[in-house]
Structures are given as C-alpha cells and as structure tokens.
C-alpha cells in the first residue's frame, strides 16, 4: 500500500469517527447545553471533545512521523504527544525551529526531514 493511500484511509477514518462521535453526542444533548464536566449528562460532549483532541494529536503526529527517520524518536514523540498533548507539540515545533540554520526560512521545518 502506498503512503498516499494509507493517509487517505487514516484521515477518512478520522473524519468518519468524528462525524459519528459528534452526531452521537448531539442526539443525546444539545451542544448549547454542555456544561463541561460539571454534570453527568455532559459526558457525551466531553467524549466528543476528547475524541477531537486526540485525533488532532494523531494528525500532528503524522507530520512528526514523516519528519523523524529514527524509530526511537518516532516512538518517543508519539508517547509524549499522546500524554502531554499541545505541550509536547509546541516543544517539538520549538525544537525544529531551533535546529534551523540562520539562513533558513521557518517554512523549511514543514518539509525537511530529520536525519
């Protein structure tokens, strides 16, 4: 299977899961009535929100997986992103920016792979 096909399948699954998750939550409670973690019925939107967050982490990790060529780095960053979320993600981007040479543009971090 090509990388392109694998990515299409992954992101189609993410899209469908989020669509189903938010539809499921909206049938149980209006999003306008969601009060976070303060009441029992709010668990539906809490679950949908957590799904959204973790699929966002996974989406960011796909880029990290592309950038990192070593398996140890890939595994370590996966664990950090899934456990620490946006803190790990911002640390990863900061590290990538610090690795840039002075003459390089910030856009280089998007496509340049780490060796």
């Amino acid at each position: 299977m090509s990388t392109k096909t694998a990515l299409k399948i992954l992101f189609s699954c993410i899209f469908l899961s989020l669509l189903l998750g938010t539809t499921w939550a909206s049938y149980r409670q209006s999003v306008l009535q969601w009060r976070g973690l303060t009441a029992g019925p709010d668990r539906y939107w809490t679950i949908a929100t957590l799904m959204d967050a973790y699929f966002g982490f996974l989406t960011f990790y796909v880029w990290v997986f592309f950038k990192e060529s070593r398996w140890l780095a890939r595994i370590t960053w996966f664990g950090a992103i899934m456990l620490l979320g946006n803190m790990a993600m911002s640390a990863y981007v900061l590290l990538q920016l610090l690795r840039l040479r002075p003459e390089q543009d910030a856009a280089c971090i998007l496509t340049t792979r780490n060796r």
Side-chain angles (χ1 to χ4, degrees), residues 8 19 26 42 67 69 79:
K8 284 180 181 179
L19 181 64
S26 66
D42 290 344
K67 293 231 358 128
S69 58

Side-chain angles (χ1 to χ4, degrees), residues 62-81:
V62 167
W63 174 62
V64 173
F65 187 90
F66 162 77
K67 293 231 358 128
E68 298 297 332
S69 58
R70 297 178 323 250
W71 279 99
L72 181 60
R74 287 175 171 174
I75 293 167
T76 302
W77 280 110
F78 179 79
I81 290 167

Side-chain angles (χ1 to χ4, degrees), residues 37-109:
L37 300 173
T38 61
D42 290 344
R43 69 178 176 272
Y44 302 111
W45 279 108
T46 300
I47 292 168
T49 301
L50 284 171
M51 285 176 59
D52 187 47
Y54 277 92
F55 281 136
F57 300 161
L58 184 60
T59 299
F60 182 86
Y61 178 73
V62 167
W63 174 62
V64 173
F65 187 90
F66 162 77
K67 293 231 358 128
E68 298 297 332
S69 58
R70 297 178 323 250
W71 279 99
L72 181 60
R74 287 175 171 174
I75 293 167
T76 302
W77 280 110
F78 179 79
I81 290 167
M82 291 302 147
L83 292 172
L84 301 172
N86 289 312
M87 289 190 310
M89 291 162 56
S90 61
Y92 186 82
V93 173
L94 284 170
L95 286 172
Q96 300 311 301
L97 289 168
L98 290 171
R99 289 181 180 169
L100 288 175
R101 293 185 304 274
E103 70 275 5
Q104 286 181 301
D105 188 57
C108 290
I109 71 167

